[in-house]
Amino acid sequence: MNYAEFMASLTRGEPPHVFLLAGEESYYIRRAEEAILRRLLPVAEERAYALIRCEEMPSVDVLIETLETVPIFTEKTVVLVRNATIFRATKKKEQDADAPAPKDTSTDALIAHLADLLPTNYVIFTLAAKPDKRRKLYQTVEKYGRVLESEPVRPWTVENWLNGRLREMGRSMHREARTFFLSVVGIMPTISLEFLDRQLEKLLLYTDNAQFTEDDLRAAFSEMPEVSVFALMDAVSARDVIRALDLLARCRADGVHFTVLLALLVRHVRQLWQAKRLLMSGTPPKGLGKVMGLHPFIAEKLGGHARGFSEATLERAVLALADADYLLKTGQAGDELLEDVVIRLCKK
């Protein structure tokens, strides 16, 4: 189940005795782990005696022995196994590709124990990767316990996380602030919920207002190079050449490497071009997000900007960026090439 379903399930009925938290989004795994421990060991002092932590996967024999141990000083024992590689998919060596896999008796013994744990004992497995769902071990946990599928967040799904986090904080966002947040996240190479969560926590220190404004977000996110880069892309979209050149200079002064700016400019121009062609072919503005893999609001805004560009302008910009990429990386030119591309894009 996904994160929202998993967290909701922890509030209903008795918790199972075995959990698997696996996937590429470590933020969800960490928060789910904390929620399980709060449910199983609500008194913090209990954890010193009842919680057994394994930062790496122990041998199966050691794990089984631990799971068989009856607690003496506490009512329950909770075993936390991080980096549970036993759930990871394994690859056969090429030379043994056609040979049957040897029977793993130790894993079979673990499967038997997980299916019938002592009523006093619990185990939580975590894995920062996708588990192998074909394995009997995974299927046993799924049958007798609970599995969190911690999928990475995408620009078009991050708003679900944002809404949930704002509810937890007892805050909301102005429309302009939400647009700013989604736009900045949309140009991130990878989305780190750990980082975004820290920035939202900073907002609680910046303001006591119940509703965050765009100015609040700009202050909290000011250290992110994506903020100035987003402003640059916004100025290019608005074809404001003076502001765009000023922001380009600021990005370079702030240490944003030209390769990052090139990559983001190429991505932005291609998105404008794609939106332009989709609109010309009859795709409605509200339908751009699904086709382009972007948040619907951001895609619709991009489509509005795309209407102001000709295909010829966008095509020339892509070619100019390709030339700039080669010349900058070979040391044959400097930032003037980036400035030239920005001027061409902003030219009415």
Side-chain angles (χ1 to χ4, degrees):
M1 58 183 68
N2 63 30
Y3 177 73
E5 295 168 340
F6 185 91
M7 297 298 277
S9 74
L10 291 178
T11 64
R12 300 190 299 264
E14 288 297 317
H17 287 257
V18 57
F19 295 89
L20 172 61
L21 317 176
E24 298 168 90
E25 182 48 69
S26 60
Y27 173 86
Y28 285 148
I29 292 175
R30 178 179 62 80
R31 287 178 65 86
E33 178 188 304
E34 291 172 354
I36 295 168
L37 292 178
R38 284 196 302 271
R39 180 71 196 278
L40 297 179
L41 303 171
V43 180
E45 289 74 12
E46 282 185 288
R47 298 187 187 181
Y49 304 99
L51 179 60
I52 300 173
R53 297 178 184 268
C54 303
E55 295 301 325
E56 297 290 337
M57 181 70 201
S59 70
V60 172
D61 291 340
V62 169
L63 179 58
I64 290 175
E65 183 179 350
T66 304
L67 295 176
E68 287 179 334
T69 303
V70 177
I72 299 175
F73 301 107
T74 59
E75 293 182 356
K76 63 185 69 168
T77 295
V78 179
V79 182
L80 172 60
V81 181
R82 295 199 174 111
N83 193 26
T85 53
I86 194 170
F87 289 93
R88 188 190 292 270
T90 56
K91 295 181 180 179
K92 296 180 182 180
K93 296 181 180 179
E94 291 184 8
Q95 62 268 29
D96 298 330
D98 297 326
K103 187 173 180 60
D104 189 343
T105 54
S106 62
T107 302
D108 287 344
L110 177 59
I111 289 170
H113 276 81
L114 294 180
D116 189 26
L117 283 170
L118 292 173
T120 56
N121 291 359
Y122 298 79
V123 59
I124 306 166
F125 296 101
T126 74
L127 177 67
K130 289 184 177 181
D132 188 347
K133 297 182 180 181
R134 300 166 299 178
R135 301 187 65 184
K136 188 177 179 181
L137 180 63
Y138 175 91
Q139 294 164 6
T140 300
V141 176
E142 191 174 41
K143 179 179 179 180
Y144 294 99
R146 201 161 295 161
V147 177
L148 167 66
E149 296 184 38
S150 185
E151 297 290 339
V153 175
R154 307 300 183 192
W156 56 91
T157 62
V158 73
E159 194 170 16
N160 294 330
W161 170 82
L162 175 63
N163 291 336
R165 195 67 186 96
L166 288 173
R167 283 194 298 271
E168 291 175 5
M169 298 168 71
R171 302 295 179 91
S172 61
M173 275 188 184
H174 282 286
R175 178 181 174 85
E176 295 78 10
R178 184 176 291 266
T179 301
F180 173 80
F181 178 89
L182 294 174
S183 299
V184 170
V185 170
I187 65 172
M188 288 180 168
T190 57
I191 299 175
S192 167
L193 290 185
E194 296 280 2
F195 176 79
L196 293 177
D197 191 57
R198 287 197 299 271
Q199 304 313 111
L200 291 181
E201 289 288 346
K202 284 167 58 176
L203 283 172
L204 295 176
L205 302 177
Y206 282 130
T207 178
D208 293 328
N209 295 331
Q211 195 170 43
F212 297 136
T213 66
E214 182 178 347
D215 288 341
D216 294 332
L217 263 73
R218 286 186 181 275
F221 284 62
S222 58
E223 67 189 52
M224 293 173 55
E226 285 86 359
V227 172
S228 54
V229 174
F230 158 69
L232 169 61
M233 302 305 163
D234 209 36
V236 167
S237 294
R239 309 184 88 167
D240 186 340
V241 66
I242 295 176
R243 181 164 171 262
L245 289 174
D246 178 63
L247 287 165
L248 175 62
R250 190 182 308 174
C251 286
R252 294 295 284 130
D254 288 343
V256 181
H257 200 267
F258 74 82
T259 54
V260 175
L261 289 170
L262 270 172
L264 291 173
L265 276 168
V266 168
R267 178 172 178 261
H268 187 63
V269 172
R270 284 179 174 169
Q271 286 178 336
L272 286 169
W273 197 357
Q274 183 184 10
K276 178 83 175 178
R277 294 184 68 87
L278 287 169
L279 291 170
M280 291 172 62
S281 67
T283 302
K286 292 187 180 297
L288 292 174
K290 185 175 182 180
V291 180
M292 298 179 67
L294 298 172
H295 188 280
F297 181 81
I298 300 304
E300 189 174 352
K301 181 181 177 183
L302 193 68
H305 288 310
R307 294 181 188 276
F309 291 87
S310 68
E311 278 200 89
T313 297
L314 296 172
E315 182 179 4
R316 286 194 296 269
V318 169
L319 294 173
L321 285 166
D323 290 339
D325 181 64
Y326 173 76
L327 293 172
L328 282 164
K329 287 180 178 176
T330 56
Q332 300 179 55
D335 289 349
E336 68 278 359
L337 283 185
L338 290 175
E339 294 171 358
D340 180 62
V341 173
V342 168
I343 291 170
R344 291 190 196 187
L345 282 167
C346 294
K347 190 174 181 180
K348 302 287 186 180

